[in-house]
Amino acid sequence: MKNIKQEITEEGFLIRQHFYTDQFIDEIIRELDASTTLQYNKQEVAGSNLVRSIPFIKDLAHSQPLISLIKQVLGNHAYPLNAFVLDKTQENNWGLDWHQDLKIAVKQKIETPGYDNWTSECGIPHAIPPQEILEKRLSARIHLDDCFMENGAMLITPQSHKSGILSDHSAVEKMAGNRSAYCEMKKGGLMLFTPLLLHKSPYSTSTKSRRILQIDYVGTSLTNGLEWYS
């Protein structure tokens, strides 16, 4: 049986159904609801960080069952950078075409070789870093609801991360068309994936909630005085 790091290295993602019990997921929902985080507005996601604002989520991000998996992939210095909720509702239904999660947020813009495509999002400097930085990031998705095709389950292209940063749109479309799969998840399921994995988020065609708590981890520092924004 492959270990966690082998799965991520070879496929770009890992899925563990029923990682958390329904009872524990309900506890997460209660904590998020108490902070009004579940009153979802996609425009507010970019500036949110639940690791910083909700002690329960900070404890969850550092909890042994989860952080032990992360450290197997990123190393013992890995830590949670941020966390946010993603949902698709009738009022805030949305979709994203095939993409990689290439941009990182930093505390201050410092022109540095290898860091390109600088933008400001919600007043926070963002850039695309060198590939080796992206390879030391990992996202964990905790599914708060059943997530199927009809309510916006994520599409992925397994092993696409091995091609590195894909800047050509035609190359992205060709690779995505070769082999894609829906990541249908049950409530309590956990998905880990590298930001270099090609993925797509279709629109929901259902009225069912598709709430996901995503926690992003890093296992490296930045160069030239740049610092992760958290």
Side-chain angles (χ1 to χ4, degrees):
M1 184 177 177
K2 297 176 185 176
N3 63 35
I4 305 300
K5 187 170 184 177
Q6 284 176 319
E7 284 194 58
I8 296 291
T9 300
E10 293 180 16
E11 299 296 327
F13 73 102
L14 171 150
I15 286 175
R16 292 290 183 268
Q17 300 283 12
H18 309 294
F19 190 79
Y20 294 106
T21 65
D22 285 359
Q23 291 78 11
F24 186 70
I25 293 298
D26 290 341
E27 187 176 353
I28 295 175
I29 291 171
R30 283 194 296 272
E31 291 288 340
L32 293 173
D33 199 33
S35 67
T36 70
T37 303
L38 295 181
Q39 296 178 15
Y40 184 76
N41 184 334
K42 186 174 183 291
Q43 302 305 316
E44 296 175 359
V45 170
S48 67
N49 185 352
L50 304 183
V51 170
R52 184 175 62 233
S53 61
I54 304 178
F56 180 90
I57 300 302
K58 180 179 180 179
D59 291 343
L60 171 61
H62 286 278
S63 62
Q64 189 58 28
L66 181 54
I67 197 71
S68 64
L69 296 185
I70 303 298
K71 288 183 175 180
Q72 287 182 55
V73 181
L74 298 183
N76 289 331
H77 297 296
Y79 65 94
L81 189 65
N82 64 355
F84 50 90
V85 169
L86 293 167
D87 194 6
K88 295 185 180 183
T89 66
Q90 290 180 299
E91 296 77 18
N92 278 289
N93 197 2
W94 51 273
L96 289 174
D97 204 355
W98 289 106
H99 65 285
Q100 298 168 297
D101 293 336
L102 299 179
K103 287 208 167 182
I104 64 169
V106 297
K107 290 183 179 179
Q108 181 181 359
K109 178 180 178 179
I110 302 173
E111 292 288 356
T112 302
Y115 291 77
D116 303 310
N117 298 93
W118 285 95
T119 57
S120 177
E121 301 174 24
C122 298
I124 303 165
H126 285 68
I128 298 178
Q131 181 175 325
E132 58 265 27
I133 297 295
L134 294 172
E135 290 172 343
K136 295 294 286 184
R137 294 192 69 195
L138 199 63
S139 294
R141 286 191 162 200
I142 300 171
H143 291 75
L144 308 181
D145 301 294
D146 293 341
C147 183
F148 299 115
M149 290 173 57
E150 61 268 20
N151 65 337
M154 189 163 71
L155 268 166
I156 61 167
T157 301
Q159 302 182 3
S160 53
H161 66 298
K162 293 181 178 180
S163 296
I165 295 175
L166 298 169
S167 56
D168 183 76
H169 182 71
S170 60
V172 168
E173 291 295 325
K174 181 178 179 181
M175 182 170 292
N178 286 339
R179 181 186 170 205
S180 60
Y182 279 97
C183 295
E184 294 192 311
M185 303 287 295
K186 297 289 288 182
K187 177 180 177 178
L190 173 71
M191 179 181 182
L192 306 181
F193 67 100
T194 169
L196 289 168
L197 183 74
L198 269 181
H199 55 288
K200 177 179 181 177
S201 188
Y203 284 92
S204 173
T205 59
S206 167
T207 58
K208 295 179 180 177
S209 293
R210 192 224 64 165
R211 296 169 296 180
I212 291 169
L213 174 64
Q214 179 165 319
I215 307 173
D216 293 331
Y217 292 84
V218 294
T220 187
S221 57
L222 302 177
T223 53
N224 193 37
L226 288 168
E227 296 180 75
W228 294 102
Y229 181 90
S230 60

